[in-house]
Amino acid sequence: MGTAAERHEARLLRASQPGLWALLAVSRAGWFGPVRRAPRLGWLVTDAVLSRKVLNDHEHFTLLGEGGVGHLWQQVLGDYVLRIFDGPGHADLRQRGRDLFTEANSAALVERVAGPVVDAATARLAAGEAVDVAETARTVVGRMMADLLGLRMPAQAPDEAFREVFQTGERLAALALGSAASTELAPRVVAEAKEIIAKLTRDVPEAFATAPATTLLGRCREAGLSLEETRGLASLLLVAGTETAASAMARTVALLHDTGTQHALLADPSLSVAAVREGLRVSTPAPMIGRHVSADVEIGGRRLRAGERVLLLTHTANNTGGPFDLTRPYDPATRQLWFGGGRHLCLGAPVARAEVGRLLAGVTAAGRPFRVVERRYARKVLIPSYASLRIALT
Ligand code: HEM
């Protein structure tokens, strides 16, 4: 039945997305090899090197068209997505936006926005209280999103107000549930998604015009992005960076506990980089990546035809390397497949790493081990995660 860490991760996947859990379990057992065609889903790829090959091959695969996330966005945001989400327009946008999230500005952003929330949690732990780190993660991410989207909310507003921002982003992502089989959205879903985006990006135009270059929207302006491009990017941040980041934060804390490796981290805080990397690898919060086949191509000895769809089961590919292990070196086969690859490699990767790292620093700050007091898995959510993970110092 595997180790405690593997059992909890499997239960979490099953509670959040039963169908996905079954698919990942079967693919991990090696039942269908590196590339296989499945009814309704299209081609499934489970191998890390082949997955990266697909992500780097922009001549034969696109995220515009049935099966890719750009197809979802085109229906919600409009046809300009076709210009800026793939092809030369996207390459140009990524080039101009390459400094939006650097290691340095992401660490500073996370410290400014998330630092006080995590410090408050650390103080409660030190006072002997139990802290729900899944909730702390949602507060952190809600505050990050409000900051990035230039939402006019006072920093001293209660945490619940920011968790509401998180929940609204979560609702937007939930609208994509079911897109594993088709990325064609019903008109009702498109209307609801448009309403959520209008609400959450309401302050973008004003912040884009006036915000200083120390903010994301100010940096977008200085980098020469148009308001339309900035609004598109802001919407994308919401879907790509809310649940994924919160999921990674809580699950990495749980993995450190369930594998007992928190003791090694407490003894040597420099292992934090490895803990963040392993947490992201093992949890792979975005467990699969979809693409549309735009031209016939051969992958892993199989012939894929234009118009078909591919699902890269990155969760399986990343976990083939073995269990959570702080001594595991960087793996050149996987690289950082949990953030995708090629031109669409996660733009917010430095932010996500800094968020996970900051939470780990907070739970280990007292220099004492922690225990899990209670945990609940989230049910029927797009990104598998903990609904609650209450920990206390031993
Ligand atoms: C642990 C947290 C995260 C994970 C696992 C993750 C994962 C990913 C993956 C797999 C992709 C590629 C999707 C594809 O190729 O179809 C992606 C793209 C993206 N992510 Fe993240 N992400 C995370 C956090 C964030 C955060 C915090 C932000 C922003 C603050 C962000 C912004 C983006 C954007 C803008 C893209 C689209 C890039 C493009 O298409 O050029 N992500 N992310």
Side-chain angles (χ1 to χ4, degrees), residues 63 90 94 101 148 236-237 240-241 244-245 248 280 285 289 291 338-340 343-344 346-348 352:
L63 50 61
H90 173 264
R94 284 294 297 237
F101 294 117
L148 292 174
L236 202 55
L237 294 186
T244 45
L280 287 165
I289 301 177
R291 285 292 184 269
W338 42 93
F339 286 130
R343 279 193 201 146
H344 294 281
C346 177
L347 188 69

Side-chain angles (χ1 to χ4, degrees), residues 25-50:
V26 170
S27 68
R28 269 184 84 172
W31 282 14
F32 48 68
V35 185
R36 181 192 176 120
R37 195 179 182 148
R40 274 182 6 105
L41 297 175
W43 291 98
L44 303 176
V45 179
T46 60
D47 176 77
V49 174
L50 291 179

Side-chain angles (χ1 to χ4, degrees), residues 55 63 68-70 84-85 90 94 101 109 141 144-145 148 216 233 236-249 280 283-286 288-291 314 336-341 343-349 351-353 355-356:
L55 292 171
L63 50 61
V69 71
I84 63 168
F85 272 40
H90 173 264
R94 284 294 297 237
F101 294 117
L109 168 73
V141 174
M144 292 285 296
M145 286 301 144
L148 292 174
L216 173 75
L233 183 70
L236 202 55
L237 294 186
L238 264 170
V239 170
T242 38
E243 281 180 293
T244 45
S247 165
M249 289 164 83
L280 287 165
S283 65
T284 307
M288 55 191 185
I289 301 177
R291 285 292 184 269
T314 47
Q336 41 176 347
L337 195 53
W338 42 93
F339 286 130
R343 279 193 201 146
H344 294 281
L345 179 74
C346 177
L347 188 69
V351 178
R353 281 192 293 264
E355 287 174 319
V356 180

